[in-house]
């Protein structure tokens, strides 16, 4: 994920760029793992409720 903004001088011309870049791969992996865990828990609860 990235974001960049221009830094402008008094005349409005771009003098430099300022930005960030963040690696969100780990966050995405954790989100997918959480979804899978939640689905597994739902299945176990349903199975137990049918029992």
């Amino acid at each position: 994920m990235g974001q960049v903004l221009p830094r402008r001088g008094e005349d409005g011309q771009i003098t430099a760029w300022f930005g960030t870049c963040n690696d969100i791969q780990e966050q995405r992996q954790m989100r997918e793992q959480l979804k899978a865990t939640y689905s597994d828990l739902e299945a176990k609860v349903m199975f137990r409720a049918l029992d």
Side-chain angles (χ1 to χ4, degrees), residues 26-49:
E26 189 174 302
Q27 181 182 9
R28 286 184 176 185
Q29 288 172 341
M30 291 299 289
R31 185 182 312 141
E32 291 303 315
Q33 184 179 4
L34 184 58
K35 283 181 185 178
T37 301
Y38 185 73
S39 293
D40 184 46
L41 180 59
E42 278 187 317
K44 287 178 181 179
V45 168
M46 288 290 279
F47 181 72
R48 193 170 260 190

Side-chain angles (χ1 to χ4, degrees), residues 4-9 13-19:
V4 68
L5 297 170
R7 183 167 278 174
R8 298 183 184 272
Q13 294 291 322
I14 296 173
T15 59
W17 289 94
F18 179 77

